[in-house]
Amino acid sequence: MKKILVASSALVAVGFAGAAQASEPISLSVGGYMEQWAGVASQEDAYESRNAFQSDTEVHFAGSTTLDNGIEVGAKIELEGEEAAGAQVDEQYLYVNGGFGQIKLGAEDGPQTDMLTVAPSTGPVNAQDGDLGNWVSLSDANITANIYGYSDAKKVTYYTPVLGGFRAGLSYTDDDTSEHNDTATAGDARYAAGLEYIGDFDAVSVKVSGMAEGDADDGRNYHVGANVGFGAFTVGGSYGAANSEYLDGADNATNGDAFGYDFGVGYTMDAATVTLTYFYGEDENGSATAEDSLSNLHLGLSYTLGAGVTWKSSVFMFDNERGTTAASDDNDGFGAVTGLALSF
């Protein structure tokens, strides 16, 4: 791997060769978002009630410069506004853009998230992204881990230029024994690859993508998805799966294989978007007879009130069956959440 990194550094150095020092120095701009939600949820009496309020805030610093040879070099830093303790930095990476494509180096998602395609869904409690656990008690986060939420571990990522609507991505994340490593998941080094296609044909738009990630410990994860837009409507779906070695970061029985799928439809009219989405997933929990399952039907609304101000709402129904406990410990219910999302 060291030879690969040395070769990559040499290629970048060659790309910079001949660049004059006349380019503008990098100045960071400030951006980010703030989301504040209020809601209610009904679930089985055996479980604690959750907060009626939730929030998510990040402050982003970004800047770039274009060298005289046309190569763009930039950086992005994302600060969490909700961390009570520990690291306050979410993502931090530099990037190099040119005719060769894009190189990223630092802590970021990689092609696993950048090329992720899921069913249409909007609102504060999307069907696939794990936010449901903020409002009701769920047995297992791994059910949605194979669909959404890849870690911002330190990695090197390369994206090809877009050719005929196609783009590919590759990334390498170091293992957890490396010096100064802050990989979010334990285990061996991970390799990921993604491929996407985005195209427009008269009144029809298409997005299709697939990704896979693996390690030397036989951990594997993959996801495929597609969306098709026609007029004001968008329909789509996706499927993802991960084996126990991937979820554990080692070969043990703490987790079992997991999978999930979603499908949905969205309708956009002027400033408003409405989506109806269904998600279903299972996790074996290390035992073929002890599967946890989660189903979630979600109705979402997004309405742009003005520049950088969006009102979002969710209405959801869920059913969480817990294979490792008595049937009386299963949880199901419904809820509604609303609030404002600000981007700046």
Side-chain angles (χ1 to χ4, degrees):
M1 186 60 204
K2 291 182 178 178
K3 293 181 179 179
I4 296 175
L5 293 177
V6 171
S8 300
S9 300
L11 288 174
V12 173
V14 170
F16 289 155
Q21 302 298 317
S23 57
E24 292 294 329
I26 296 176
S27 298
L28 293 180
S29 61
V30 179
Y33 65 86
M34 172 179 285
E35 300 173 344
Q36 299 290 348
W37 313 119
V40 294
S42 173
Q43 58 183 343
E44 296 295 333
D45 294 337
Y47 300 102
E48 296 180 359
S49 60
R50 297 298 178 92
N51 293 337
F53 304 100
Q54 295 288 337
S55 62
D56 186 14
T57 301
E58 288 190 4
V59 178
H60 298 169
F61 301 92
S64 65
T65 186
T66 300
L67 306 180
D68 287 354
N69 59 6
I71 293 178
E72 179 188 11
V73 182
K76 187 172 184 179
I77 305 168
E78 300 180 359
L79 299 184
E80 289 279 4
E82 290 296 308
E83 293 290 338
Q88 298 292 321
V89 177
D90 180 17
E91 293 189 359
Q92 52 84 16
Y93 61 88
L94 66 80
Y95 61 88
V96 181
N97 292 332
F100 51 81
Q102 182 184 64
I103 297 172
K104 287 184 176 181
L105 183 61
E108 53 98 19
D109 294 311
Q112 304 96 306
T113 297
D114 289 347
M115 294 183 166
L116 189 70
T117 302
V118 296
S121 186
T122 190
V125 190
N126 289 299
Q128 316 96 328
D129 63 13
D131 286 341
L132 181 63
N134 293 332
W135 302 94
V136 298
S137 177
L138 301 178
S139 59
D140 192 350
N142 287 325
I143 294 177
T144 55
N146 62 86
I147 294 291
Y148 184 89
Y150 299 100
S151 63
D152 296 327
K154 290 181 180 178
K155 57 173 63 73
V156 57
T157 303
Y158 169 69
Y159 294 104
T160 68
V162 178
L163 300 173
F166 287 93
R167 183 176 70 136
L170 300 169
S171 73
Y172 169 80
T173 305
D174 214 353
D175 64 77
D176 62 346
T177 62
S178 297
E179 187 176 4
H180 303 306
N181 182 275
D182 63 354
T183 301
T185 53
D188 293 336
R190 289 183 172 179
Y191 305 84
L195 179 66
E196 69 177 5
Y197 172 78
I198 300 176
D200 291 304
F201 307 92
D202 295 328
V204 178
S205 63
V206 177
K207 181 183 179 183
V208 181
S209 70
M211 56 75 57
E213 187 174 27
D215 59 37
D217 198 35
D218 202 31
R220 297 185 303 276
N221 172 56
Y222 67 91
H223 183 273
V224 293
N227 281 333
V228 177
F230 47 95
F233 288 93
T234 302
V235 296
S238 69
Y239 177 88
N243 65 8
S244 59
E245 289 84 357
Y246 178 88
L247 294 172
D248 291 331
D251 189 6
N252 58 55
T254 303
N255 292 299
D257 296 346
F259 75 89
Y261 60 85
D262 57 35
F263 54 87
V265 58
Y267 178 78
T268 299
M269 180 177 63
D270 296 328
T273 298
V274 180
T275 60
L276 180 63
T277 314
Y278 177 78
F279 168 83
Y280 178 82
E282 289 185 4
D283 181 12
E284 291 181 355
N285 275 313
S287 170
T289 60
E291 295 94 351
D292 285 359
S293 67
L294 172 66
S295 60
N296 182 19
L297 181 63
H298 171 256
L299 177 65
L301 167 68
S302 175
Y303 187 86
T304 301
L305 300 174
V309 182
T310 305
W311 168 48
K312 294 185 178 183
S313 297
S314 293
V315 178
F316 59 85
M317 297 175 58
F318 77 98
D319 184 9
N320 182 204
E321 296 186 5
R322 309 183 179 204
T324 57
T325 59
S328 59
D329 292 330
D330 294 345
N331 193 18
D332 61 67
F334 55 90
V337 180
T338 191
L340 293 178
L342 311 181
S343 61
F344 44 85

